[in-house]
Amino acid sequence: PGVYENLDIRGNVTINASNVTLRNFKVTKAGGFSAIVVSSGVNNIKFEDCEINGEFRHQFGIWVYSSNTQVTVRRCEIYNLG
């Protein structure tokens, strides 16, 4: 849990805990089917002021495993998915 800011992430991100905020970050060079995966059973996840460049390597920018998970996405640019 916590707030993580000002990150340049090169690879995949998996959120396994509740009450996580990622703010002012960029994701590139991710593999697999999604750049960011939110595991089931976690809640109160926030992504703010971000850029996710899929580089045509995966299908989804953010994948949430459970429909009951609370995820908020604000001011994020998600592009080059394929």
Side-chain angles (χ1 to χ4, degrees), residues 44-74:
N44 194 28
I45 307 301
K46 296 177 185 165
F47 302 110
E48 300 175 338
D49 304 306
C50 69
E51 179 182 351
I52 300 171
N53 181 355
E55 299 176 5
F56 299 107
R57 295 177 181 216
H58 45 265
Q59 294 177 313
F60 305 101
I62 301 170
W63 179 265
V64 181
Y65 269 103
S66 174
S67 61
N68 296 328
T69 300
Q70 284 183 308
V71 175
T72 303
V73 180
R74 293 186 182 119

Side-chain angles (χ1 to χ4, degrees), residues 1-80:
V3 177
Y4 304 90
E5 298 181 275
N6 306 317
L7 302 171
D8 186 359
I9 301 166
R10 296 169 195 261
N12 295 69
V13 175
T14 301
I15 307 293
N16 290 317
S18 294
N19 303 311
V20 171
T21 298
L22 290 180
R23 184 179 298 137
N24 191 31
F25 68 96
K26 180 178 181 176
V27 177
T28 57
K29 308 294 184 209
F33 70 95
S34 183
I36 298 175
V37 174
V38 179
S39 299
S40 63
V42 302
N43 275 305
N44 194 28
I45 307 301
K46 296 177 185 165
F47 302 110
E48 300 175 338
D49 304 306
C50 69
E51 179 182 351
I52 300 171
N53 181 355
E55 299 176 5
F56 299 107
R57 295 177 181 216
H58 45 265
Q59 294 177 313
F60 305 101
I62 301 170
W63 179 265
V64 181
Y65 269 103
S66 174
S67 61
N68 296 328
T69 300
Q70 284 183 308
V71 175
T72 303
V73 180
R74 293 186 182 119
R75 299 175 303 277
C76 290
E77 184 178 3
I78 302 170
Y79 60 97
N80 288 343

